[in-house]
Structure formats: C-alpha cells, structure tokens
C-alpha cells in the first residue's frame, strides 16, 4: 500500500498539472494572442468575482471528500468532476457492498475502482444518449417532463447520497449533530443574516466538525504492553 500511495501521488500530481496546463491554454491564448483587449485589471476583477463565490468550496470540498475517497481517489475525482452527484455515491455504494470502512486502505481501493466504473459508464452514456440519440430524445421528451427532471433530479441524487453515507458510516452522533447544525444555519442563521448565505455551507461544515470532535465517542486507550526485561549480564 505504501508503494501504491507513492505511485498514485506521483502520477496524480503529474496528471493534475497536465490538466491545469490544458485548461489554461485556451484562455491564455485568447488573452495574449487573440487581441481581445483583455486587461490585467479585468482579469483580476473576474478572478475576484469567481473566488468570492467559490472560495469556500475550494476549502470545504477537499476536507469533506477526503475521509471517504482517500488520497488516490481524490486525484481522480477532481480531474473528472461531478463528485457529489456521481463519484461520491459510487464510492459509498462500492464500500458498503464489500463492507469496507471509509478511510481504510480497502475502502480507498474500492473508491478507486468505483470511480473508474462511474467514469466509464458516464462516458458511454454521453456517447449514446447525447452524442448519438441526443437530438432525437430532446424532440420526443415532453417539455413538462424535462422541467420536472431539471428541478428534482439533483435533490434526488444528493438525498440518496446522504442516506447512503449515513447507512455506510454508522455515526449516529455525527449524523444528529450535522442535521441539527445544517437546519439551524439554513433556517435560523441565514434568514437573520442574509449576507452569510454564500458561506452557509462552510459554516455548517466547520461547526459540525468542531461539535462532533467534542461529542465523539471516546474509546479507552489500549494499554501498552511492557517490554520483556532483558537478563542482566554477568
């Protein structure tokens, strides 16, 4: 497992850097070579606007996903995307199917294989239902049905993820604390202080982490076995 972790970390960092280069190549070409008149101040203004909206997620998402996915799957997940509504449910179902505890080496390997399977199914589905049948499906699906799917499919998926996480982790205290804190933040704090709406997720996660740390079940430490005494030399 040590060799596996070292290999995945090395190649994970490399592939993430390659992905970063490719994702920035197009915008950088447009800025420096397409004569669009984009100024440095406009770039910093745009970055500030995006950072103000998503900065909290940049911190919260890795902290939230890492205990379940593990280090190897984190590289996969952030390269592929759709973590909360596709990859995380796949990892949880795989871990639960083989009774692997999230955060263990076995759970990490299950998450790796589950994400590979989810990515393959996703690409195959895109090829068939979007690339080949996309136009035809849009023409035959009633607009009312499409509207219902757009509204309810994400809550349905995330609701299933939450239930799967609760069943798999079996952490009653953490579940209760998380539910109470999320309800208080969403229905009490945000209405009282609307300016905190964008930070509601971060507040709920941080407060939950702190409270769960204090109310966690403290197991007694195992006694350390005394080393056998060595015979005195004569």
């Amino acid at each position: 497992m040590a060799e596996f972790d070292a290999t995945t970390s090395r190649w994970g960092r490399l592939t993430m850097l390659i992905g970063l280069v490719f994702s920035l190549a197009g915008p950088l070409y447009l800025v420096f070579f397409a004569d669009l008149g984009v100024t440095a101040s406009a770039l910093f203004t745009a970055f500030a606007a995006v950072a103000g909206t998503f900065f909290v997620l940049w911190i919260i998402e890795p902290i939230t996903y890492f205990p379940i996915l593990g280090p190897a799957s984190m590289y996969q997940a952030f390269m592929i995307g759709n973590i909360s509504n596709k990859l995380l449910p796949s990892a949880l179902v795989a871990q639960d199917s083989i009774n692997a505890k999230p955060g263990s080496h076995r759970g990490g390997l299950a998450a790796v294989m589950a994400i590979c399977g989810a990515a393959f199914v996703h690409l195959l589905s895109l090829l068939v239902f979007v690339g080949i049948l996309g136009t035809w499906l849009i023409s035959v699906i009633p607009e009312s049905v499409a509207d219902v799917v757009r509204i309810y499919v994400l809550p349905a998926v995330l609701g299933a993820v939450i239930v799967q996480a609760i069943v798999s982790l079996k952490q009653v205290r953490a579940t209760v604390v998380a539910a109470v804190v999320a309800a208080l933040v969403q229905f009490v704090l945000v209405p009282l202080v609307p300016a905190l709406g964008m930070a509601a997720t971060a507040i709920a996660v941080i407060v939950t982490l702190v409270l769960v740390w204090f109310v966690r079940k403290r197991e007694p430490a195992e006694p350390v076995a005394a080393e056998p005494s060595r015979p005195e030399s004569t």
Side-chain angles (χ1 to χ4, degrees), residues 89-196:
S90 302
L92 285 171
V93 170
Q95 291 169 349
D96 186 60
S97 298
I98 63 173
N99 295 321
K101 184 178 180 181
S104 64
H105 289 307
R106 194 161 177 255
L109 292 175
V112 169
M113 300 307 296
I115 289 177
C116 291
F120 175 78
V121 172
H122 189 186
L123 292 176
L124 182 62
S125 302
L126 287 177
L127 174 64
V128 175
F129 296 109
V130 178
I132 300 175
L133 304 176
T135 304
W136 176 78
L137 285 175
I138 292 176
S139 65
V140 299
I141 295 177
E143 187 176 352
S144 58
V145 175
D147 291 338
V148 171
V149 171
R150 280 194 294 267
I151 295 172
Y152 294 108
V153 67
L154 182 59
V157 171
L158 294 181
V161 172
I162 293 173
V163 173
Q164 184 67 44
I166 293 173
V167 173
S168 300
L169 298 178
K170 298 181 178 66
Q171 298 288 336
V172 177
R173 298 185 186 185
T175 301
V176 173
V177 171
V180 172
V181 170
L184 291 176
V185 171
Q186 186 65 34
F187 299 112
V188 178
L189 181 61
V190 173
L192 289 177
V193 189
L196 296 177

Side-chain angles (χ1 to χ4, degrees), residues 3-26:
E3 184 178 355
F4 173 80
D5 291 337
T7 303
T8 53
S9 296
R10 180 172 63 254
W11 286 102
R13 287 192 293 265
L14 179 61
T15 52
M16 292 294 285
L17 289 173
I18 293 173
L20 178 64
V21 170
F22 275 102
S23 64
L24 294 179

